[in-house]
Amino acid sequence: MEPRICAVCILPDTTPGVTFNAQGVCNVCEAAARSADTAPRPERADDEQKILEAFVARRRWDRYDCLCLYSGGKDSTYMLYALARRLNLRVLALTLDNWFISPQTHANIKSTLQRLETVDHILFKPSWNVVQKSMQAGFSFEPGTRLGDKAYVVGHACLSCFGLITAYAGKLAMEKGIRNIVAGTTPGQMHQKSARNLADRYKSAAQAFRGLTLPLMQDLASRGDDLRRTFRISLRDRVKAVRLNLVPFYEHVRYDEARILDVVTKELEWVRPRDTDSCSTNCQLNALGVYVHRKRYGLSPYVFPLAHDVRAGLMTREDALRAVNGDLNHAVVMRVASQLGLADTLVPELMRRPASSPADPPADQGDAAQTMAPPLASTAPGLR
């Protein structure tokens, strides 16, 4: 039988702890209706001045107003545009290249930075050894464990990437004396606190970091010298990190996908990649994460954040359903799993003899990768 879907959001009745009332509305939506957590967002989609209220003022000797976590996806591209062009802030943009960034994304990053002109940019590409071991760890977290529960509501692939970008962004911000770190996640992505109680949510981005990302970094730091050098946080750095101000852009500026696409395509000549899945506009690794989640749990990892974003009025229920039910390109899924050395473990049913050793770093797919999958109608908001 097909699972029953909430009449308001997109949570299925197969989700642990979710029940429906006589009108087909889930208990999480009922609880949210009584909570200030889903209070209306700013009515004007273009009121980026709202974000400045969340900023810590730049000291006169500081070079930058903020560090922008810039993935090259449509949402982070608009965020960077708003910070640099509309607000005229001094921005250092940071891109994590996890070895699975679409070739079109690299082209979009170059085009965007050329048109914005004033943005300094750092592209951080961890060693293949660090990426492979981080992803292998992320996909190994078991249900019922602390990190397994986090992976259930965030996604196994995304959880590892959050750890990588957080580790480097924090060190870079402290090194450069940058007080504000701006992220393109929505409230639905980073604030889910518990897999057992979906109404239980972190109250702030800083609280989410302490409860979600910090335990992950501590676990990864215990898995060998390479990961320890990347993820270990000294007591001194932990004290400094508390002073950093994490600002989720789309908690202060209302999310409007149509407007975002209009601005980034017209102003920055951004082009949607044809080789990513329906919940990402920059990363091919995401397809493996979604495939594994559907296989293990019967749903996409984006069901939880997008269900919240529907409740909060950040996107329509129809767009959310399209995003979480989008087709996956199995060739991409198989290639990514093989390169991570996880094909036998994660996708044995898709096994084909790979062209290269599973332990080999990914080769640049070039323009040919753009023909692997057609563009999809809608993509989910967030750090993509």
Side-chain angles (χ1 to χ4, degrees):
M1 293 178 60
E2 290 292 323
R4 187 182 181 192
I5 306 297
C6 174
V8 174
C9 72
I10 61 171
L11 286 178
D13 61 1
T14 54
T15 307
V18 169
T19 59
F20 289 176
N21 65 17
Q23 290 73 43
V25 177
C26 74
N27 57 312
V28 182
C29 283
E30 289 184 308
R34 301 187 295 267
S35 170
D37 182 52
T38 53
R41 302 296 171 191
E43 292 185 2
R44 290 181 57 206
D46 60 346
D47 190 10
E48 283 85 11
Q49 291 290 333
K50 293 283 186 182
I51 199 75
L52 297 181
E53 298 173 8
F55 269 45
V56 174
R58 175 175 54 83
R59 298 161 296 196
R60 65 177 181 273
W61 60 83
D62 290 339
R63 182 173 180 181
Y64 299 106
D65 291 295
C66 63
L67 177 67
C68 175
L69 304 186
Y70 171 49
S71 72
K74 61 178 172 54
D75 301 332
S76 69
T77 298
Y78 180 84
M79 175 175 67
L80 182 61
Y81 168 86
L83 296 171
R85 177 73 60 80
R86 295 177 64 87
L87 298 176
N88 295 312
L89 298 178
R90 301 180 186 179
V91 182
L92 175 62
L94 170 64
T95 301
L96 169 70
D97 183 347
N98 64 7
W99 293 75
F100 296 101
I101 297 298
S102 166
Q104 180 60 57
T105 297
H106 285 292
N108 287 338
I109 289 171
K110 181 178 179 179
S111 172
T112 295
L113 293 172
Q114 286 177 331
R115 283 160 179 76
L116 293 180
E117 299 180 333
T118 62
V119 175
D120 291 342
H121 179 242
I122 292 176
L123 188 145
F124 170 55
K125 189 169 188 174
S127 73
W128 174 241
N129 197 34
V130 165
V131 169
Q132 187 182 44
K133 288 181 178 179
S134 298
M135 295 303 161
Q136 289 173 346
F139 280 106
S140 73
F141 296 137
E142 294 290 339
T145 65
R146 184 181 186 185
L147 289 174
D149 287 348
K150 301 300 183 187
Y152 176 65
V153 295
V154 173
H156 291 270
C158 288
L159 185 62
S160 294
C161 274
F162 282 153
L164 284 166
I165 191 64
T166 301
Y168 190 72
K171 293 175 183 178
L172 181 64
M174 288 186 286
E175 174 190 324
K176 301 288 186 182
I178 303 173
R179 308 178 79 186
N180 301 294
I181 301 177
V182 187
T185 54
T186 71
Q189 282 185 297
M190 289 296 289
H191 286 233
Q192 194 64 60
K193 189 174 184 179
S194 170
R196 298 174 180 85
N197 179 8
L198 296 181
D200 191 12
R201 302 180 57 75
Y202 295 114
K203 301 304 181 184
S204 67
Q207 191 181 90
F209 166 75
R210 291 192 295 271
L212 176 67
T213 314
L214 188 58
L216 169 68
M217 294 170 64
Q218 291 170 335
D219 179 276
L220 293 176
S222 70
R223 295 173 180 256
D225 290 342
D226 286 339
L227 296 189
R228 182 164 52 251
R229 284 190 291 269
T230 300
F231 294 106
R232 180 179 178 274
I233 305 177
S234 67
L235 180 60
R236 179 182 177 185
D237 282 347
R238 194 174 301 184
V239 171
K240 289 182 179 179
V242 172
R243 301 172 188 160
L244 297 175
N245 183 36
L246 181 59
V247 183
F249 183 83
Y250 291 108
E251 290 186 35
H252 302 275
V253 177
R254 184 173 177 84
Y255 187 83
D256 184 336
E257 183 181 55
R259 185 174 185 279
I260 286 172
L261 285 169
D262 183 66
V263 170
V264 298
T265 53
K266 290 181 179 177
E267 297 289 331
L268 304 172
E269 297 188 11
W270 183 92
V271 177
R272 182 191 295 273
R274 297 175 61 87
D275 56 353
T276 59
D277 67 280
S278 60
C279 284
S280 176
T281 55
N282 73 305
C283 177
Q284 297 174 357
L285 173 63
N286 204 65
L288 175 63
V290 171
Y291 181 91
V292 170
H293 224 82
R294 288 176 176 176
K295 177 181 173 182
R296 288 181 179 176
Y297 312 114
L299 45 71
S300 165
Y302 288 94
V303 163
F304 303 111
L306 296 195
H308 176 276
D309 292 345
V310 170
R311 287 183 222 111
L314 295 171
M315 70 187 308
T316 68
R317 183 174 183 271
E318 292 71 25
D319 281 347
L321 286 171
R322 272 200 299 272
V324 299
N325 293 320
D327 293 334
L328 296 174
N329 187 300
H330 287 176
V332 173
V333 171
M334 185 60 206
R335 174 170 55 80
V336 172
S338 296
Q339 289 165 344
L340 288 173
L342 293 172
D344 290 333
T345 304
L346 299 182
V347 293
E349 66 279 3
L350 298 181
M351 276 297 295
R352 301 287 186 273
R353 184 174 295 277
S356 59
S357 166
D360 289 342
D364 186 357
Q365 300 301 309
D367 293 337
Q370 302 305 309
T371 64
M372 297 179 72
L376 291 151
S378 180
T379 49
L383 185 61
R384 290 183 281 283

